[in-house]
Amino acid sequence: SKHKEALMLTLTLPRIFPLTITVRCCGSTYGIIPLQDSVLSKLKQNFLKRIRKMWKNRKIEQFTAYEFHEDYASHHHILIFGIPYLIDWSRKFGRKKEDALTYFSRIYGIDLPPDAPKTLVAKHVITAIQDEILVKVLADIDSILGTNLLDVYLEYKSTHNLQGPVNDIRRIENANWVDEPPPDSVTFTRVLSPAQYVMKYLTKVLRMVLKKEEPKEEHQAKIFGYWLFGKRFNTYSSSLGPPNQENIKEPGWEFVGIFYEDEIPEEIIERID
């Protein structure tokens, strides 16, 4: 209702990273990191930063619905509001002030015919940008945890002749799909609108929980994944929430510190009921 134009980006990763990784030091276990979800979340975060930098004159808002596959791998359905395309084709880029098509084709080595449709060019450019971000994220993780995730990813790309992470981009205008809708939005009787398509992911799990339905074994991950990984069903820009949401201070506990019993400060003891 707030935006005439939007984009839906479905973002996922190849099944080459472990779901979790155990962090050990000096023979002790420090914790377990939800690795795959952390990598995907960081990829999304840094990608949106890049898009906001490209569209400096636009207010970009986002809504993300999370979904788990049968093997507990997650993917993100990201609605990006406020821009008609992920690439600002009207801008000049680089020190040479090149048009977007020339600049990105040169920077990322994209070899497409001059008459290639912009949707195809955009697909290659966006995948190249995401690949660049993912390589940096994996390199950072490797340097901290001593893993070899980047080598695994680069070998997988080479073996399967891939350009980068798997993504799907759909344009939305006036609350309808502009081009082809996502394949799984097409039913036997109708095509789900963008709003209906996203609501499907928001309500499906909740309805099953409320009805206390026992999921089939092959569908358990689609429900249990949220609790196993401590994942919310969705996130969104605070500006899309209720008015003045940022200023609402909900009642709750206040953390004041950890003390030995005989060293608790008097002002804290006085407040203990």
Side-chain angles (χ1 to χ4, degrees), residues 221-236:
K222 291 179 174 289
I223 295 179
F224 300 159
Y226 298 100
W227 283 272
L228 283 173
F229 293 103
K231 195 75 176 175
R232 292 175 53 172
F233 295 109
N234 60 83
T235 58
Y236 52 86

Side-chain angles (χ1 to χ4, degrees), residues 86-266:
L86 288 175
I87 300 172
D88 186 354
W89 297 105
S90 65
R91 272 191 60 190
K92 301 293 184 182
F93 290 88
R95 284 181 286 184
K96 298 180 180 179
K97 299 300 179 183
E98 296 172 301
D99 64 272
L101 183 59
T102 302
Y103 175 79
F104 287 114
S105 297
R106 179 175 60 81
I107 290 295
Y108 295 114
I110 299 172
D111 186 18
L112 291 172
D115 58 345
K118 280 187 177 180
T119 51
L120 179 60
V121 178
K123 172 75 173 176
H124 281 265
V125 171
I126 294 305
T127 304
I129 292 175
Q130 290 173 353
D131 175 70
E132 185 178 69
I133 295 171
L134 181 57
V135 166
K136 177 67 166 60
V137 169
L138 296 177
D140 288 344
I141 293 175
D142 285 346
S143 67
I144 296 171
L145 300 180
T147 50
N148 66 333
L149 301 176
L150 179 56
D151 290 340
V152 171
Y153 172 64
L154 294 178
E155 182 178 350
Y156 180 85
K157 272 183 33 177
S158 175
T159 302
H160 296 273
N161 194 28
L162 296 178
Q163 186 187 10
V166 181
N167 64 72
D168 183 76
I169 306 168
R170 307 283 168 168
R171 288 185 60 211
I172 300 168
E173 190 171 309
N174 294 322
N176 293 304
W177 306 110
V178 173
D179 303 306
E180 289 291 321
D184 57 342
S185 70
V186 181
T187 69
F188 289 110
T189 58
R190 60 174 180 153
V191 176
L192 298 177
S193 70
Q196 292 168 333
Y197 184 74
V198 174
M199 285 299 293
K200 177 179 71 171
Y201 296 106
L202 297 180
T203 59
K204 179 171 60 177
V205 176
L206 296 177
R207 281 199 303 266
M208 294 185 72
V209 173
L210 287 172
K211 293 178 181 179
K212 299 182 180 179
E213 295 180 7
E214 183 68 27
K216 295 180 180 179
E217 185 175 351
E218 63 267 26
H219 298 313
Q220 287 181 351
K222 291 179 174 289
I223 295 179
F224 300 159
Y226 298 100
W227 283 272
L228 283 173
F229 293 103
K231 195 75 176 175
R232 292 175 53 172
F233 295 109
N234 60 83
T235 58
Y236 52 86
S237 299
S238 58
S239 53
L240 291 176
N244 301 319
Q245 185 184 31
E246 307 94 303
N247 300 325
I248 297 175
K249 188 174 182 180
E250 298 185 6
W253 295 96
E254 178 186 355
F255 178 77
V256 293
I258 300 174
F259 309 93
Y260 288 107
E261 187 175 2
D262 57 351
E263 295 179 358
I264 301 176
E266 287 294 328

